[in-house]
Amino acid sequence: MSKKKENIFDVKLFTRLFQYIKPYKAVFFGLILLVVLLAVFGAATPKLTEFIIDDSIAGENPKKFLFYITLMLSVLILQTLFQFAFIYYASWLGQNLVMDVRVKLFNHLLRFKMKYYDNSSVGVLITRAVTDMERIADIFGQGLFMIFRDLLTMIVVFGVMLYSNLKLSLIVFLMLPLLLYATRIFQKYMKKAFEEVRNEVSNLNSFVQERLTGMKILQLFTREVTEYKSFKKINERHKKGWLKTVWYNSIFFPLADLSSSITVGLVAWYGGLNVVLEGSVTQGTLFAFIMFIPMLFRPLRQIADKFNTLQMGMVAANRVFKVIDTTSQIDDTGSHIAEGFKGDIAFKNVHFSYVEDEEVLKGISFNVNAGETVAIVGATGAGKSTIINLLNRFYEINNGAICIDGIDIKEVTLESLRTQIAVVLQDVFLFADTILNNITLNHPKITENQVHQAAKAIGIHDFIMSLPNGYQYNVKERGVMLSSGQRQLISFLRAYVTNPSILVLDEATSSVDSYSEQLIQNATDKITKGRTSIVIAHRLATIKKADKIIVMDAGEIVEQGTHDELLKKENGYYKNLYEVQFLKEEVA
């Protein structure tokens, strides 16, 4: 395992990234061709300079001088055009590739079990989907092709230098092993540093995201100073991670520049003596070699720099693929497509636990007949909300079966199952969008006219029209522009407009005003009429109207019956709950 971590370049990971290049093969091979042309044209300039000095200036041949100057100008123009095309299309390829990976990642995230999100940081997932994706784009835009170009340039320059003068080439190559070794060490340490940086970026994103989301709580409990200190610590670790990369850069790049300068000095010294004393080296060759040395050393320096970009991209790609490789989806193997349910629901000896060996539901069984309204009551933690989660298959049960109209819900396709069940949650979530879009969730088959008719039917059309721009009113992030009661009314309409076969309500009105509560009560009566409804009851009115009440305690059903039947049970759980909690409401 440790051996794998020390690998500077993960070939398997890179091969996987290459799979996403297939739709853009033409651009990819075009970039390869541009790399070859740039390497050849780059090496041609010093060689043409050699010819200009030796054949034209020293040889006093003005016709050749004009020819070489024209040729060099043409090479430079073509080199500039190729360079432009290379930079543009390398970045173009990187952005298109990362767009495909990001879409695949988001599509994968959309299908995760709720359990995955229970155990995952939203900030970390945002980092994977946004920041890490940009690093992957840099692999192609600023890393891979740049490295390939620089390597090919070095190879071409290396060959031309050997062909031009063997002795001067040997002087240059004496310094290369030292720089190559330093480059390898540099890359090894930079990879470790970048892994640390990516970890700290994720921690920073996660911390900031959570604190901004929960800012009201922080200020209510005056935790500003404490959170400020915590943030400083996380930011300090992030800074230290980056400073490691700065430290390695500050050592390597001056060393690379020093090596290049020493080599130029040695070539100038040895070549100059030969020009003056022996004549075995021409002035043009010496001048060309002085131009070749930066072309040989600079790419090596740039390769190390681009390798940093490549390392960051590979670390980011590894993190993204870990999420993509996570198998946390509900098995959607059912073949039955539910176009509509009658609404008979049966829980048969259902066992379930969020955490292994800690059962939340301990073998519960109950039936709901089509068209009935069933209220579920019980203390906090009794397992009421879990029933909602399991009916929609947000989680898989451990044992037992859940059936609708006699069909195990595992046999029903997830999409058709959830299409036929509408849920109004206690904690209403609204997107930063218009009221209309929050109701339809951009469903193409739900028209604005249908929404208006549905709103009128449950009595909230006037409330929506009283808002600025009516149905086009933007509620901002999480619906902060609306009160809790107004948000819940929107969620009732969102459920009702889908015309579900089964309705599940987690109806909480403890924090809403009396006007909103009356609207919610009217909406509840309307949308539950004639359809199977399961209600986690928080109001006495709902409980009294229910066809059946299921009383839960510690993951078990302790009592079932109508309101009147349960009140007749001496020392019954519901009777005690009613006297302690609901009777106060009745008296009030």
Side-chain angles (χ1 to χ4, degrees):
M1 187 79 175
S2 60
K3 203 171 184 180
K4 186 178 179 182
K5 283 186 179 179
E6 288 177 3
N7 289 339
I8 290 174
F9 191 78
D10 191 332
V11 176
K12 187 176 180 182
L13 179 63
F14 195 76
T15 303
R16 184 172 181 181
L17 265 178
F18 244 76
Q19 300 302 312
Y20 292 89
I21 290 179
K22 287 181 180 179
Y24 313 106
K25 283 190 291 188
V27 174
F28 177 78
F29 288 114
L31 284 167
I32 298 296
L33 177 62
L34 285 172
V35 164
V36 174
L37 290 172
L38 284 170
V40 172
F41 277 47
T45 304
K47 200 64 183 173
L48 285 172
T49 304
E50 178 184 342
F51 292 151
I52 289 171
I53 294 172
D54 290 342
D55 290 358
S56 300
I57 298 175
E60 298 181 353
N61 190 335
K63 289 184 179 179
K64 280 190 174 182
F65 180 79
L66 183 61
F67 169 74
Y68 285 132
I69 287 295
T70 304
L71 186 59
M72 180 177 282
L73 182 62
S74 300
V75 167
L76 290 173
I77 291 172
L78 287 173
Q79 189 177 11
T80 301
L81 293 174
F82 291 154
Q83 186 76 0
F84 164 76
F86 172 73
I87 293 172
Y88 176 80
Y89 282 105
S91 296
W92 183 92
L93 180 64
Q95 289 300 324
N96 276 276
L97 180 144
V98 85
M99 178 186 70
D100 294 343
V101 178
R102 185 185 280 122
V103 167
K104 183 171 183 178
L105 174 67
F106 189 72
N107 187 47
H108 200 61
L109 291 172
L110 286 172
R111 286 158 177 76
F112 276 154
K113 298 177 185 176
M114 288 301 107
K115 186 174 182 179
Y116 179 85
Y117 294 104
D118 293 342
N119 301 320
S120 301
S121 164
V122 175
V124 169
L125 292 177
I126 290 172
T127 301
R128 299 291 170 269
V130 182
T131 311
D132 283 342
M133 287 297 176
E134 292 306 316
R135 300 289 80 77
I136 295 174
D138 290 343
I139 290 177
F140 298 93
Q142 300 178 28
L144 173 68
F145 289 110
M146 298 292 185
I147 291 173
F148 186 34
R149 181 198 62 185
D150 290 341
L151 279 174
L152 196 59
T153 299
M154 289 176 65
I155 292 170
V156 172
V157 168
F158 183 87
V160 174
M161 289 173 76
L162 281 175
Y163 175 78
S164 299
N165 192 289
L166 181 61
K167 290 182 179 180
L168 288 180
S169 298
L170 289 175
I171 294 174
V172 174
F173 301 151
L174 281 174
M175 294 298 294
L176 281 179
L178 176 64
L179 195 55
L180 286 170
Y181 178 73
T183 302
R184 182 171 176 79
I185 297 297
F186 172 71
Q187 291 165 352
K188 179 180 176 181
Y189 282 97
M190 283 300 286
K191 182 178 182 182
K192 291 180 180 178
F194 281 133
E195 285 176 347
E196 184 178 334
V197 166
R198 297 311 311 152
N199 278 329
E200 295 306 330
V201 167
S202 294
N203 292 336
L204 194 62
N205 284 348
S206 181
F207 184 90
V208 172
Q209 187 270 334
E210 286 185 346
R211 270 60 187 180
L212 290 178
T213 303
M215 187 59 69
K216 184 182 289 185
I217 298 297
L218 297 183
Q219 293 185 359
L220 280 172
F221 289 90
T222 63
R223 306 302 295 167
E224 294 93 337
V225 175
T226 302
E227 295 302 324
Y228 169 72
K229 289 178 180 178
S230 299
F231 180 78
K232 282 185 70 176
K233 289 178 182 178
I234 295 174
N235 206 31
E236 180 69 22
R237 292 200 304 269
H238 179 257
K239 181 196 74 174
K240 286 180 179 179
W242 271 112
L243 283 179
K244 278 187 181 180
T245 68
V246 174
W247 170 250
Y248 297 143
N249 283 327
S250 64
I251 294 174
F252 174 76
F253 291 116
L255 180 64
D257 289 339
L258 179 62
S259 300
S260 178
S261 299
I262 291 173
T263 306
V264 169
L266 289 172
V267 166
W269 169 72
Y270 180 79
L273 287 177
N274 271 269
V275 169
V276 175
L277 300 177
E278 299 178 16
S280 59
V281 177
T282 66
Q283 295 179 25
T285 301
L286 178 59
F287 201 90
F289 263 77
I290 291 173
M291 292 178 69
F292 275 134
I293 290 169
M295 295 181 67
L296 193 65
F297 279 76
R298 187 174 62 247
L300 190 59
R301 180 188 186 280
Q302 288 176 343
I303 286 171
D305 194 20
K306 298 305 178 186
F307 210 93
N308 295 346
T309 302
L310 188 62
Q311 294 281 19
M312 289 187 74
M314 296 297 277
V315 170
N318 187 47
R319 294 176 184 278
V320 169
F321 284 134
K322 277 183 180 178
V323 178
I324 291 177
D325 291 339
T326 301
T327 53
S328 185
Q329 289 81 12
I330 294 288
D331 292 331
D332 190 10
T333 55
S335 57
H336 180 77
I337 299 174
E339 295 180 356
F341 289 126
K342 285 192 303 179
D344 291 317
I345 301 172
F347 274 61
K348 301 177 180 179
N349 194 31
V350 174
H351 291 260
F352 173 74
S353 55
Y354 292 104
V355 180
E356 193 175 352
D357 299 327
E358 294 181 17
E359 277 198 333
V360 177
L361 298 183
K362 303 170 183 177
I364 68 166
S365 299
F366 66 87
N367 292 294
V368 181
N369 297 322
E372 281 187 340
T373 295
V374 174
I376 303 176
V377 300
T380 302
K384 304 186 297 296
S385 295
T386 300
I387 289 174
I388 296 175
N389 291 330
L390 297 183
L391 187 62
N392 281 276
R393 289 196 71 200
F394 287 136
Y395 300 85
E396 294 282 29
I397 60 176
N398 299 345
N399 290 297
I402 302 173
C403 299
I404 300 178
D405 294 348
I407 304 171
D408 192 316
I409 61 173
K410 290 183 179 179
E411 301 301 318
V412 183
T413 62
L414 271 179
E415 183 178 357
S416 67
L417 173 71
R418 291 174 180 170
T419 299
Q420 294 302 320
I421 302 174
V423 180
V424 177
L425 295 172
Q426 179 177 346
D427 183 18
V428 179
F429 187 94
L430 298 181
F431 295 93
D433 206 336
T434 64
I435 286 180
L436 179 64
N437 289 339
N438 269 290
I439 294 166
T440 65
L441 295 177
N442 296 305
H443 195 297
K445 293 183 179 179
I446 302 176
T447 66
E448 185 170 356
N449 184 56
Q450 286 176 303
V451 174
H452 289 187
Q453 295 305 315
K456 289 175 182 176
I458 64 173
I460 65 171
H461 177 73
D462 292 340
F463 141 66
I464 295 175
M465 292 306 294
S466 68
L467 298 170
N469 299 321
Y471 287 87
Q472 300 303 320
Y473 181 62
N474 193 310
V475 300
K476 304 301 181 183
E477 190 173 359
R478 299 183 69 88
V480 295
M481 301 305 290
L482 301 177
S483 69
S484 58
Q486 290 172 330
R487 289 196 296 271
Q488 196 153 53
L489 288 168
I490 297 302
S491 71
F492 269 80
L493 182 53
R494 181 160 62 191
Y496 183 66
V497 78
T498 62
N499 192 28
S501 300
I502 297 169
L503 187 67
V504 183
L505 303 178
D506 187 355
E507 39 134 0
T509 57
S510 57
S511 60
V512 304
D513 59 86
S514 57
Y515 175 71
S516 295
E517 183 172 0
Q518 184 58 49
L519 287 177
I520 290 170
Q521 183 59 56
N522 294 338
T524 302
D525 294 341
K526 180 65 178 180
I527 67 175
T528 57
K529 188 176 181 180
R531 60 167 54 90
T532 304
S533 303
I534 296 177
V535 183
I536 296 179
H538 299 274
R539 296 196 307 272
L540 181 63
T542 304
I543 296 169
K544 282 185 172 182
K545 291 178 182 179
D547 298 300
K548 183 193 297 182
I549 298 170
I550 296 173
V551 187
M552 296 190 67
D553 182 43
E556 297 178 305
I557 295 176
V558 292
E559 291 175 353
Q560 294 189 58
T562 65
H563 173 70
D564 293 333
E565 288 171 350
L566 293 175
L567 283 182
K568 291 175 183 177
K569 288 190 177 183
E570 198 65 36
N571 294 321
Y573 188 97
Y574 176 77
K575 184 177 181 181
N576 292 331
L577 184 67
Y578 172 77
E579 289 174 349
V580 171
Q581 181 177 342
F582 299 119
L583 194 57
K584 293 178 182 177
E585 182 184 338
E586 192 173 46
V587 172

